[in-house]
Amino acid sequence: MAFDTKLLEIIACPVCKGKLLFDKENAELISTAAKLAYPVRDDIPVLLENEARELSQDEVDKWNS
């Protein structure tokens, strides 16, 4: 079973309430507004701020382009 990208239509970043993008290569959900990447473990998104890693400005720019 793989992460169901249809979830992106109903879930939001818990910090900024904004849209999330799926980074399949790194198994992360990206919030460019909050500059955070949330891990997806065993196909389940872990939407906890203390589990997220901070995105660099270069990463944010990449996702916004």
Side-chain angles (χ1 to χ4, degrees):
M1 179 186 234
F3 176 72
D4 187 355
T5 56
K6 289 182 182 178
L7 283 175
L8 296 175
E9 297 173 16
I10 59 172
I11 61 175
C13 172
V15 173
C16 71
K17 312 300 185 240
K19 182 178 178 177
L20 294 167
L21 305 167
F22 181 51
D23 180 354
K24 186 175 182 177
E25 183 178 317
N26 295 311
E28 294 178 321
L29 294 178
I30 307 296
S31 171
T32 57
K35 296 184 180 179
L36 294 172
Y38 298 95
V40 176
R41 297 187 188 127
D42 297 323
D43 302 320
I44 300 169
V46 181
L47 297 176
L48 300 171
E49 185 177 3
N50 64 335
E51 292 285 327
R53 70 174 181 87
E54 289 188 35
L55 296 173
S56 69
Q57 189 59 48
D58 287 342
E59 289 176 298
V60 172
D61 292 343
K62 176 188 122 183
W63 283 99
N64 281 334
S65 60

